[in-house]
Amino acid sequence: MTEPIVPPSSAEPRFAALSARLLDRTDELAEELARRVRAAEADLAVVPPEDLAAVCAEQLRMTLTHLADGSAMSTESTQANARRRAHRGVPLAALLHSYRVGTQFLWESFVAEAGVAEHAVLIESASELWLGLEQLSEAIRTAYREAEAERDLRARLDRDLLFDALLGTDPVRIRESADALGLPTRGRFHAIAAEVTAELPPGAVWRHLPTERLAVLSLPDATPFPPLQGGRFGVSPAYDQISQTASALRLARLALAAVPPGDEGVSTYGDRPVATLIASSPETADDLARRVLGRLLALPAGDRDTLLATAHAWFAMGGSTGRAAEILFCHRNTVRYRLGRLETLTGRSVHHPREAAELFLALETVRLRAAIINRSPGMSTSTYQNSALTWA
């Protein structure tokens, strides 16, 4: 909805008459104005001459009619022009400058047209021209920014469609999409999955989703992988054909899932095999962890958490009872006692390789899934209890 420019309550008759004389010369003035605007703004070179001339004539006629008869002046055509210029890529500053050039030209035309007796009223009425410019400039800014937002949205939707085509199975569409996105079909690629707030490296072709950001990064063979900071990232192993992007993104997503929410870090697929294995099938991991740790997890919260913390510490310290006792601030015999209870409750010994592996996987599942509860926005413990992992 555009607001019209409303004339002053009492227009000066002599200024109105002067405006009417210039209105009769609109075509002549518009030709000279178009020449001046094109000379003053190189960025308007992308605008066809006939388009610029038509806009100059329209704006002069609209303004002079407004000043001659006191009618309200709509900004609709000005906003339409701003949108067209935005779509052509004319900078906003250049567009606004062209209107200032137009207002200056109109003032000079008034001065040249006015007789000696009209100079005084001309000076008294000058503020109307500059007030009109300010109102037009605000309308231009609004329309231009709206057009920019629409253009950016269309570009993003187009880019998203192209990115999605990379994940398909049609080799022709994959090649066409890669070309449109500026990606080679062969080379050295990495797929990246990141949380929505993370910043992706320069040069990455990305896709923004509600819960994550996906990207493809093409790197020359000798170029090191760029640093990633400010969030959680999962990175695929390098691959050499763009048609392998779908598989690589699956691995990148698994690597991302291996970094607990709330942590900051980069996980390359294969760096965290246990966490990645759990992330690849969380429901299965939950079910198996419940089967291994079920009796322990059924204990009262305080007792359960103490035994879990002891087991985590013992594994983290490489099976050293003494070092686990140090970080837990307790005696090593206390650690031994708690590990004995763990073995009794689970039927598995931390000293038996296969049984210890089963315990470690179950404990890591509990730890990683608990991190999701504690650190994921909007996820409550009660919500998580409705999933396969029901002991917390």
Side-chain angles (χ1 to χ4, degrees):
M1 186 71 179
T2 58
E3 294 293 333
I5 297 176
V6 181
S9 56
S10 57
E12 164 57 53
R14 287 173 295 175
F15 184 64
L18 183 57
S19 301
R21 296 208 303 270
L22 288 178
L23 181 59
D24 291 336
R25 299 173 49 204
T26 296
D27 292 339
E28 169 198 344
L29 294 173
E31 184 177 343
E32 173 61 17
L33 175 56
R35 187 192 66 77
R36 287 201 188 186
V37 168
R38 190 170 292 279
E41 267 303 337
D43 286 318
L44 288 174
V46 297
V47 178
E50 61 276 13
D51 185 352
L52 181 60
V55 169
C56 288
E58 181 182 36
Q59 293 292 297
L60 281 174
R61 187 173 292 108
M62 181 176 64
T63 302
L64 289 170
T65 299
H66 162 66
L67 295 173
D69 64 15
S71 59
M73 185 171 71
S74 171
T75 61
E76 287 186 6
S77 62
T78 304
Q79 290 182 307
N81 180 50
R83 284 189 285 269
R84 291 198 307 275
R85 299 297 181 254
H87 291 311
R88 280 192 173 272
V90 175
L92 177 58
L95 181 59
L96 291 170
H97 181 225
S98 71
Y99 275 81
R100 289 196 296 273
V101 170
T103 303
Q104 180 66 35
F105 170 77
L106 188 55
W107 171 251
E108 292 173 3
S109 299
F110 271 111
V111 172
E113 181 71 22
V116 174
E118 295 170 310
H119 282 174
V121 70
L122 185 60
I123 293 173
E124 292 174 1
S125 303
S127 60
E128 288 189 47
L129 285 179
W130 304 107
L131 176 61
L133 172 63
E134 183 60 33
Q135 291 174 306
L136 286 177
S137 296
E138 185 57 36
I140 289 168
R141 290 188 191 95
T142 299
Y144 190 98
R145 287 166 183 155
E146 289 174 351
E148 272 191 320
E150 292 169 2
R151 184 184 61 195
D152 291 346
L153 178 60
R154 282 197 300 271
R156 176 178 163 183
L157 292 174
D158 290 343
R159 186 183 65 236
D160 288 350
L161 290 174
L162 291 171
F163 192 101
D164 291 345
L166 291 179
L167 311 182
T169 57
D170 185 338
V172 175
R173 287 200 65 195
I174 291 175
R175 287 196 300 270
E176 291 175 346
S177 298
D179 184 62
L181 291 168
L183 293 169
T185 55
R186 289 181 175 273
R188 175 186 161 210
F189 305 100
H190 288 273
I192 303 172
E195 59 188 350
V196 292
T197 57
E199 293 187 11
L200 295 174
V205 175
W206 57 272
R207 171 82 152 94
H208 193 118
L209 297 174
T211 58
E212 62 185 343
R213 301 182 76 182
L214 306 177
V216 176
L217 181 63
S218 174
L219 293 172
D221 287 339
T223 303
F225 191 87
L228 299 176
Q229 298 177 334
R232 298 164 55 237
F233 299 88
V235 180
S236 76
Y239 58 104
D240 58 11
Q241 297 184 52
I242 197 65
S243 58
Q244 299 168 326
T245 297
S247 297
L249 270 176
R250 183 180 65 82
L251 301 183
R253 281 170 149 166
L254 287 175
L256 173 63
V259 184
D263 287 0
E264 286 194 4
V266 180
S267 171
T268 299
Y269 182 82
D271 285 352
R272 309 182 187 192
V274 172
T276 303
L277 182 63
I278 293 168
S280 67
S281 184
E283 291 185 359
T284 300
D286 288 349
D287 181 66
L288 294 177
R290 177 175 56 80
R291 293 175 185 277
V292 172
L293 302 175
R295 290 179 61 197
L296 185 156
L297 297 167
L299 295 174
D303 201 9
R304 176 198 66 202
D305 293 345
T306 297
L307 293 182
L308 287 174
T310 301
H312 285 306
W314 189 84
F315 278 108
M317 293 298 102
S320 170
T321 302
R323 292 171 62 195
E326 288 178 8
I327 66 171
L328 291 170
F329 302 103
C330 66
H331 195 276
R332 65 180 61 197
N333 287 339
T334 302
V335 174
R336 292 192 185 97
Y337 170 74
R338 293 173 182 173
L339 292 176
R341 288 194 64 200
L342 172 72
E343 294 178 352
T344 300
L345 290 166
T346 63
R348 289 168 174 82
S349 170
V350 295
H351 301 292
H352 187 287
R354 180 178 58 79
E355 294 176 359
E358 293 174 354
L359 282 170
F360 181 74
L361 282 171
L363 290 165
E364 281 297 282
T365 299
V366 173
R367 184 181 66 82
L368 291 172
R369 306 295 275 169
I372 294 175
I373 297 175
N374 297 330
R375 299 177 184 176
S376 291
M379 179 176 281
S380 64
T381 301
S382 60
T383 299
Y384 190 62
Q385 286 173 339
N386 291 328
S387 70
L389 195 60
T390 57
W391 53 71

